[in-house]
Amino acid sequence: STVLPEILKIIGYILGDGSISFLKDGKGFLTSFFGKKEDLEEIKKDLEKIGFSSVISERKRKHKIKTEHSEYEFKTTTYTCQTSSRSLALFLISLGVPYGKKISSDFCIPEWILRLPLWCKRLFLASYFGAEMNSPKFLTGHKYNIYCPTVSMNKEIQYKESEIKFFNQISQILEEFGVKTKKISIRRIKNNPDKVQIRLILSSKLEDLLNLYERINFEYNKEKAFLGNVFAFYLRKKQKVINERKEAEKVAVSLREKGYGINSIFSKINSEWVNRRFIERSIYEGRKAEPRISFRFEDISRLVKEAREKFGNSGYVIDKIIEIRKVPYKGYVYDFTVNHPFHNFTANNFLVSNCGVRLIRSNLERKDIENKLEELINGLFINIPSGVGSTGKLKLNRKEIEKVVVEGAKWAVKQGFGKEEDLENIEEYGNIKGADPSTISNRAYERGLEQLGTLGSGNHFLEIQQVVEVYDEKIAELFGIFPGQITIMVHTGSRGFGYQICDDYLDKFGKVVMKYGIKLPDRQLACAPANSPEGKSYFKAMIGAANYAFANRQIISHWVRETFSKILGVPYEKLGLSIVYDVAHNICKLETHTVNGREKKLYVHRKGATRAFPAGHPSLPEKYRSVGQPVIIPGTMGTASYILVGTEKAMEETWGSTCHGAGRMMSRHQAIRESKGRSIADELYQKGILAKAKSKKGLAEEMPEAYKDVDEVIKVVEGAGISKKIAKMIPLAVIKG
């Protein structure tokens, strides 16, 4: 069944924090789910996917608790998701879900679930644990050891045997995931001798906890799922440090046997997790158990706080690659998307404009900045924040961001970030019409408040370049380009703001597929008709993300001008720092094109592509209309970039589109592996290129070998006639996100 995943999760949650009960009139059923509102929203969506509507209700309650010391009063707000669908209740009961009070009934895990493959059992367990398992947390007063994960349920004493069997079944499934359990405990409930509490206590060993949080984790509980992800990351780091200390112990003993002194051994091991005392104890005292974690190891509370600030409640999945092999295939291969959280996103041809590139010219030549190059790149690195989760110098409120959504780069210019003539050299003059701020979520606005004027991460960059070749002097002169010239290229987009918009609409589109009777070949796809309310809403939100990106690049350009002016001691106008062009390369636009001899309005999706309109096109600024649109194709931080011009053939064959860059040859993980033991910054320096990044990992992911040869890519593009090369630039200094 295409809805089996949702059914398994719903069953798991009902066995924890849900119930199926008779209505008071005895003629129907009420299926209820209890929890936090945000988690119940997910259950509501899944119920809709399998064809049932539900309602989430809120209830404010007052409580009184009497203890031997005092009486306490407090208020709470509880939420319930309920549906009175008789067919849903009967369907679930037929699948083995208990009805009535679970405390006074016999039930176990339905046999058919026990026969399912692991991925199905994982969904069932994760939703049950989302309801019933204690939240991941560390022992009080001890920042390295985790509380035993525990699941508990109260039962009337005559039904305890079925609950013990239920927990034994849970234990058997956990074993399949490599998670051991300690025991099942039973205790009488105080002041109620007819009831017992039965608890399943899981192992708290590192390997068992890793398997629990990485392979199962939680469903229908965003907070637990978030903590499970963070704890898994923490435990992986802890495991790595312990292994490093174990290896250091072996090395220390071995070196001692060879006659080395303590000081010499300590200098040879050279690990931040191993001190002199550890080496002495390893040699003179030995260890009966494996080494414990270093006291210098980080505090989980700091990691949780940092993860929450950067990623909200988002998560990740760690999985093992089983096999990599070549497949005999000679057909077309389509690059569907780039797997990076802050880059670009597609959902069955709907995409958020998260990236674009801008080229800034100058009157400068290399000799003018030769002695100032390092100072310039350091100044730009300070003035323009980069890296994952980076925030800028601007702190805007919601109303101001809504203006950015509608006005784009025009808003930035109004605020003093540039001048009016800048807008002429931006696609759509930096302001695509049709954005609607009301189509964008509160969460997206929260993420966008502090990210204007920031570079971001991944393959985003800011580069100081030198023009080394000019292929068409006439068009180059019109673009303001000449041999030996210094240019600046900026590649970035709408940051977490655009990412969140995509995330929100992927979620919404998941439930409209059934509404419009759309059948998709894969559950990972999502879509909505372009003329539907959902499709229209998304398109307006996507335009808002594009406008945010235009504003972002405009603000960065202003700070580029300020930095050059300050360090060179010359006003930026005299330096000739002006925009050649700014064009998006992950965007969907409604354009008019000729199809079978007739003009038609088309949604043109340029994902990993960029616009390349020919001479005479009315969308182009007047100054470029006689030659065509400037097309900017960047390479890597170790290779050339190009400026080209759009052609009539591109209009005929690709609806005015060309490629947007060199394209990756390696995944980021592979690039990191390939660069192990190397200094990418030093290698680039040997080539005469200064490189700055927030981390060595960031440089490793983007090393030149990770990308295709941009010169060959340009040959193909020009050979196909969809763009014509005008000039070639090489990097002198680069900032990577």
Side-chain angles (χ1 to χ4, degrees), residues 40-58:
L40 296 181
E41 291 283 1
E42 294 303 310
I43 294 174
K44 188 175 189 297
K45 289 173 190 172
D46 280 354
L47 286 170
E48 287 173 359
K49 284 180 186 176
I50 61 175
F52 299 98
S53 60
S54 59
V55 175
I56 295 175
S57 58
E58 175 184 321

Side-chain angles (χ1 to χ4, degrees), residues 476-514:
E477 186 179 355
L478 186 63
F479 288 172
I481 300 296
F482 59 85
Q485 178 186 30
I486 296 300
T487 58
I488 301 97
M489 191 174 284
V490 180
H491 173 214
T492 188
S494 56
R495 302 294 321 282
F497 180 70
Y499 168 72
Q500 190 63 46
I501 290 172
C502 178
D503 202 37
D504 292 337
Y505 277 90
L506 276 175
D507 194 34
K508 288 178 183 178
F509 284 7
K511 61 187 178 185
V512 302
V513 173
M514 289 182 67

Side-chain angles (χ1 to χ4, degrees), residues 366 370 373-374 377 637-638 679-692 699 704 731-734:
R366 184 163 185 166
E370 194 79 63
L373 187 59
E374 189 168 357
I377 203 66
M637 56 189 173
S679 170
I680 303 302
D682 287 347
E683 290 176 17
L684 290 168
Y685 185 75
Q686 294 301 318
K687 294 180 180 179
I689 303 166
L690 299 177
K692 300 279 289 183
L699 282 177
L732 302 179
V734 60

